[in-house]
Amino acid sequence: MVGAPGLYTYGAMRIGGIIRDAGFHPKITRDLSQLHGERVFLSLYSTLHLLDPFIKETVRRIQHEGGECIIGGPVSSGPEMVLGELHPNLVVCGEGEEAVRHIMNGEEYANCPNCAYLADDRIVKTEQKRMQDLSFPPPLIPDDIGTQDIRGAQTYIETHRGCFGRCGFCQVPRVFGRRIRSRDLDEILREVRAFQKKGVRKIALIGGTGSLYRSKDGEVNSGAFISLLEGISSIMGQKNVSCPDIRADCLTDEVLEAVQANTIGWIFFGIESGSEKVIGLMQKGIPIDKVRDAIDQCRQFGVRPAGSFITGYPGEDEEDFQATKDLMEELSLDDVFVSIAEPIPSTPLAELICKQSPETDLVSIPHTGEYKGLHLTEAEARAFDLMLHADMCRPVPRITQDDQYKNYLNEARKQGSDIRNVTRLLRQYYPR
Ligand code: SF4
């Protein structure tokens, strides 16, 4: 059986397809209380899952019932934490398809690539491999996939792996590498048809940054990207496709025309900060002027630009934060997503945050400025301030109503609390 908490993740559906291809009859669930069986694959996509009492209990229950619990997904970048917190039988690390094939063939853990497990209280890691051929059997798509809503889409699909970027907060180049490996277009389109047949009405593309499909050495392959979008939209319909993430330095006029003609017409740029200093600390590699150009270019082609901003990055001072607010105002984006810098295992940011002294840790030091009465930490106050600011900076400014104000406040507090919990965990398993 295969499961993921609360969602049919693309990864869980892919693993289900591989198990079925090996001659078994797997079931998939997003309700962990339904997970049973002699071999259970659990896909976890947030470090917070490692602290979730229900997930801990689920793993214990499966083992108590005599089953073997195997955990994979984005949490597998920190196998020590997964083994230490959840005590599964096995962790499948990074690209897990090959490992699952070996496991389903009944091979010993020691002979399965990309695995980590405990033997005599010692962590054993097997050979770590990246797949050269991204051809897979069709995913295991549940009958009720049409009831799912992940930011407006019923599912995401993978078109390629890797990103040539080096952003210090991002897992993609660490897990999938910096060289782009792309899937075959016919296989992607077959998968899209299969999702549609099962009730998917809206589909979004994952893969780090959309326009890098079939690119080489950071050069956008506009022709391949256009064929990809045209192919998917010819099946799903233009208004039912989104390709949200594109790097600001990976745009061409042809890419924008294709986005405008074949998708809902939005691009989400990772802008992150208005301070060149912080952009440098993040190793983002995209000068702010390039972002300005990309947003102008989007508007020329009738594509609506949105952006994500990260605050509380180690080294961000008041002046840097003000520069981010100024940039947000100048760009007047159609939508904005704000987050506090999150230490995702295996990233340089996680290492930086773990090494910080308490006096410089923005997510822990109390805020003493404008929002002092709200008892926020400095990073929480900056995130909250940016969320409010974003409302004022839209093309048509929005007055933040009381409910929304409370939502922003709760969101900033939750992010701060989650990050402190994750940081504690990282420091416990990966001490300085
Ligand atoms: S450009 Fe996007 S996918 Fe690539 S490293 Fe940066 S954040 Fe990650």
Side-chain angles (χ1 to χ4, degrees):
M1 201 159 179
V2 186
L7 281 180
Y8 295 121
T9 61
Y10 183 78
M13 291 189 274
R14 163 71 54 70
I15 294 308
I18 288 171
I19 298 171
R20 182 187 52 205
D21 193 53
F24 297 83
H25 301 283
K27 290 203 173 107
I28 185 164
T29 183
R30 53 188 164 178
D31 173 3
L32 300 194
S33 69
Q34 300 301 314
L35 273 179
H36 302 278
E38 65 184 68
R39 191 173 275 146
V40 172
F41 289 84
L42 181 54
S43 174
L44 301 179
Y45 46 87
S46 161
T47 313
L48 289 169
H49 289 152
L50 304 181
L51 297 167
D52 184 328
F54 181 58
I55 294 179
K56 289 187 185 206
E57 180 47 36
T58 299
V59 176
R60 259 197 303 269
R61 177 182 54 72
I62 291 164
Q63 292 169 332
H64 184 71
E65 291 169 357
E68 177 187 23
C69 185
I70 298 168
I71 293 183
V75 297
S76 67
S77 291
E80 295 80 2
M81 295 196 301
V82 184
L83 289 165
E85 291 301 306
L86 298 182
H87 312 291
N89 300 74
L90 184 71
V91 180
V92 172
C93 308
E95 299 188 15
E97 290 89 354
E98 203 49 47
V100 174
R101 275 191 195 117
H102 281 72
I103 295 164
M104 298 315 294
N105 274 340
E107 290 181 33
E108 300 279 326
Y109 292 164
N111 298 327
C112 301
N114 293 28
C115 284
Y117 57 95
L118 279 178
D120 300 327
D121 287 337
R122 222 171 36 83
I123 294 182
V124 178
K125 290 184 187 170
T126 61
E127 184 191 7
Q128 301 293 300
K129 278 182 167 174
R130 289 204 179 109
M131 306 205 45
Q132 294 316 310
D133 176 12
L134 299 187
S135 295
F136 305 110
L140 178 68
I141 308 173
D143 291 336
D144 59 347
I145 184 90
T147 61
Q148 178 153 287
D149 186 337
I150 313 171
R151 291 196 203 164
Q154 279 76 56
T155 191
Y156 278 68
I157 57 161
E158 184 183 49
T159 59
H160 59 279
R161 288 184 182 171
C163 175
F164 70 87
R166 297 175 188 273
C167 306
F169 50 83
C170 176
Q171 240 183 355
V172 171
R174 279 94 210 170
V175 174
F176 296 122
R178 297 185 64 229
R179 187 174 66 82
I180 305 295
R181 290 161 293 146
S182 300
R183 296 181 63 206
D184 178 67
L185 181 57
D186 289 341
E187 190 180 304
I188 295 171
L189 299 183
R190 269 198 300 280
E191 194 169 291
V192 170
R193 282 191 203 96
F195 274 116
Q196 189 191 42
K197 214 166 152 195
K198 286 277 191 169
V200 165
R201 298 171 310 283
K202 292 182 185 290
I203 218 160
L205 312 192
I206 40 173
T209 173
S211 65
L212 289 182
Y213 178 66
R214 294 218 169 274
S215 68
K216 272 211 179 100
D217 306 323
E219 281 297 312
V220 174
N221 182 340
S222 300
F225 180 69
I226 292 166
S227 303
L228 174 73
L229 289 194
E230 286 180 350
I232 298 176
S233 90
S234 71
I235 298 166
M236 298 298 300
Q238 175 196 358
K239 295 291 168 217
N240 299 319
V241 181
S242 66
C243 175
D245 303 316
I246 293 185
R247 266 179 76 102
D249 57 358
C250 293
L251 273 188
T252 62
D253 288 355
E254 294 80 13
V255 162
L256 281 166
E257 270 168 8
V259 168
Q260 206 280 332
N262 297 292
T263 76
I264 57 170
W266 282 78
I267 295 182
F268 230 94
F269 294 107
I271 299 171
E272 328 304 5
S273 174
S275 153
E276 293 286 8
K277 181 193 99 187
V278 175
I279 292 290
L281 291 171
M282 291 175 173
Q283 296 172 269
K284 184 84 201 168
I286 306 178
I288 292 167
D289 274 347
K290 192 81 195 166
V291 171
R292 291 186 172 99
D293 291 347
I295 284 161
D296 285 349
Q297 210 181 348
C298 278
R299 291 194 163 125
Q300 281 164 28
F301 282 84
V303 171
R304 298 173 79 179
S308 61
F309 291 85
I310 294 176
T311 188
Y313 209 86
E316 178 192 72
D317 61 24
E318 270 298 332
E319 217 173 290
D320 302 315
F321 179 63
Q322 188 55 47
T324 299
K325 287 179 75 174
D326 293 346
L327 183 66
M328 204 183 249
E329 199 168 327
E330 178 194 330
L331 298 177
S332 186
L333 297 158
D334 287 73
D335 200 6
V336 160
F337 182 75
V338 174
S339 59
I340 300 175
E342 183 193 346
I344 297 176
S346 84
T347 62
L349 173 62
E351 217 169 289
L352 261 183
I353 288 185
C354 288
K355 279 187 195 152
Q356 277 189 129
S357 65
E359 307 79 60
T360 56
D361 183 2
L362 293 169
V363 90
S364 295
I365 53 178
H367 171 70
T368 53
E370 192 183 345
Y371 303 109
K372 188 171 174 215
L374 297 174
H375 306 292
L376 299 169
T377 65
E378 185 55 31
E380 289 164 5
R382 288 184 192 178
F384 178 57
D385 195 27
L386 278 185
M387 290 175 201
L388 293 174
H389 193 60
D391 274 355
M392 297 302 298
C393 296
R394 286 167 179 265
V396 179
R398 185 162 78 181
I399 306 223
T400 312
Q401 304 292 337
D402 284 357
D403 276 3
Q404 197 53 29
Y405 183 93
K406 278 188 206 140
N407 288 344
Y408 292 157
L409 193 53
N410 290 340
E411 173 61 25
R413 284 196 173 121
K414 179 172 184 323
Q415 285 193 24
S417 154
D418 287 351
I419 288 167
R420 284 188 292 281
N421 286 333
V422 168
T423 305
R424 265 194 291 278
L425 199 60
L426 282 164
R427 285 188 175 136
Q428 182 188 333
Y429 285 91
Y430 308 102
R432 287 176 250 180

